[in-house]
Amino acid sequence: MRIIVSGAAGFIGSHMCDRLLAEGHTVVGLDNFLTGAERNLAHLKGHPGFQLIRQDVTQPFAINGQIDAVLHMASPASPKDYLEHPIETLDVGSAGTRIMLELARSHHARFLLTSTSESYGDPLVHPQVETYWGNVNPVGPRSCYDESKRFAEALTMAYHRTHEMRTNIARIFNTYGPRMKLNDGRVVPAFLDQALRGEPMTVFGDGSQTRSFCYVSDLVDGLCRLMESDERYPVNLGNPQEMTILEFAERIRRLTGTKSQIVHRPLPQDDPKQRKPDIGKAQSILGWQPRVALEDGLRQTIEYFRCA
Ligand code: UDP
């Protein structure tokens, strides 16, 4: 297939390009490098199946030739990034999604949207199952991301219903691995960076909020399976192994052997108190579940950050 990937220079987007190329597909990557990094794709320079175009997908553009699939992965995704770029975040989820859907429609291509567990907001149902509608503050600081992705989901469903397009929606939970930005503020790079430098590890609040972490290769595998499936409604992709952020900090301390102390910082506004995917749907529809153990994934990630 010839596949268009928006957000190709991002953390997950770049791993997706690798996977698609390894499967023999041709990939056209789009990125405006607002939060993506050219170095994430440096190893693909000169690859005969890969083309990278610097493009803001909220602005009109054309791509000639056959297109079989459109993967819309572009968006600031870390709380620090979307708080810094709230309008761009809303734009790429709204105007950007519309443009990418039109691209798919005009080429009779399939379309996949990478949405987020943030669609559930600060959830009142635990673990989060796809049928839960969420608890989102529409005017809070995180709303630029949550509502943008919720709009993108709604638009995708509208295109599916109106134009009978083949669409898929993934709700991605916390994912980690090599090529995360060291300074994007997310907990995995933040803790690893602090631990490797021997600096205090900043746990926000009392650290009792929970998350679960999926290794990027598992996530990309789930996305590829979803793209092949007939499921039109959202599917959670993430690792259901839940832990508190304080426990997570302790694990990173043990794994890195750091002498860093844990310090507490104020909890950001609207920081979800608990998050854990119910992956029953992905298991039954896609035959998918994460395979990489946290310790193994973290070792790979630590290796990357040591060299970064
Ligand atoms: N967090 C933390 N210290 C940090 C960065 C994040 O304790 O230096 C917490 C944050 O408050 C949240 C969790 O770790 O509860 C995950 O945050 P992240 O920014 O990775 O993503 P989120 O899951 O909130 O989108």
Side-chain angles (χ1 to χ4, degrees):
M1 289 197 287
R2 183 164 182 255
I3 302 177
I4 312 299
V5 178
S6 73
F11 158 51
I12 300 177
S14 66
H15 285 281
M16 177 55 93
C17 292
D18 286 344
R19 163 81 187 240
L20 296 173
L21 290 167
E23 285 179 0
H25 300 297
T26 300
V27 175
V28 180
L30 309 174
D31 213 297
N32 67 348
F33 300 100
L34 178 69
T35 57
E38 237 156 319
R39 76 178 196 137
N40 287 344
L41 296 172
H43 60 288
L44 295 180
K45 213 169 180 169
H47 190 298
F50 184 66
Q51 183 189 357
L52 178 63
I53 302 174
R54 181 178 287 266
Q55 177 65 49
D56 177 351
V57 298
T58 68
Q59 303 302 318
F61 63 94
I63 293 183
N64 296 326
Q66 166 200 339
I67 298 175
D68 302 294
V70 173
L71 310 191
H72 184 34
M73 307 183 75
S75 178
S78 86
K80 183 175 163 226
D81 283 342
Y82 56 69
L83 294 177
E84 252 169 55
H85 304 288
I87 297 172
E88 289 88 342
T89 302
L90 282 155
D91 274 350
V92 75
S94 53
T97 303
R98 180 86 198 266
I99 284 177
M100 296 304 285
L101 276 162
E102 276 299 325
L103 182 69
R105 187 177 75 86
S106 60
H107 285 79
H108 306 289
R110 65 180 79 171
F111 178 87
L112 179 137
L113 171 73
T114 52
S115 184
T116 169
S117 56
E118 284 285 330
S119 294
Y120 301 116
D122 189 3
L124 304 176
V125 166
H126 194 72
Q128 290 77 59
V129 67
E130 289 90 345
T131 46
Y132 174 50
W133 292 350
N135 177 40
V136 171
N137 176 354
V139 291
R142 295 172 91 108
S143 64
C144 60
Y145 187 57
D146 302 9
E147 298 293 14
S148 157
K149 289 292 192 182
R150 287 167 66 100
F151 177 86
E153 289 189 10
L155 193 62
T156 301
M157 290 307 297
Y159 265 70
H160 164 61
R161 292 187 178 114
T162 307
H163 300 299
E164 295 176 4
M165 272 173 62
R166 177 176 172 158
T167 56
N168 302 107
I169 300 172
R171 288 193 182 140
I172 299 177
F173 284 65
N174 295 67
T175 300
Y176 72 99
R179 302 186 198 154
M180 292 190 95
K181 267 198 304 180
L182 201 58
N183 59 351
D184 80 357
R186 278 191 275 205
V187 71
V188 174
F191 282 178
L192 287 181
D193 187 39
Q194 291 160 348
L196 293 176
R197 289 172 193 273
E199 288 170 3
M201 295 169 69
T202 53
V203 168
F204 296 165
D206 63 5
S208 62
Q209 69 274 30
T210 67
R211 294 291 187 277
S212 56
F213 299 96
C214 186
Y215 191 62
V216 65
S217 61
D218 278 334
L219 192 272
V220 165
D221 185 51
L223 291 173
C224 289
R225 287 173 191 239
L226 180 60
M227 192 172 60
E228 295 300 321
S229 85
D230 294 330
E231 180 59 35
R232 304 292 159 241
Y233 283 93
V235 177
N236 289 338
L237 293 176
N239 193 315
Q241 193 197 340
E242 183 186 15
M243 68 195 76
T244 68
I245 290 301
L246 195 56
E247 279 166 0
F248 186 58
E250 291 293 357
R251 283 185 87 140
I252 289 193
R253 281 186 80 202
R254 275 203 307 280
L255 212 62
T256 54
T258 183
K259 295 196 169 49
S260 294
Q261 298 300 310
I262 288 174
V263 296
H264 291 269
R265 295 280 176 268
L267 191 66
Q269 193 191 330
D270 293 341
D271 194 285
K273 282 179 271 310
Q274 50 182 6
R275 184 183 292 152
K276 169 187 171 169
D278 180 319
I279 60 163
K281 187 171 176 183
Q283 279 173 316
S284 64
I285 294 179
L286 312 177
W288 176 87
Q289 61 180 35
R291 310 217 166 267
V292 180
L294 183 63
E295 307 255 306
D296 295 336
L298 281 175
R299 273 199 198 91
Q300 302 279 338
T301 313
I302 289 167
E303 197 50 41
Y304 173 80
F305 280 125
R306 275 196 211 281
C307 304

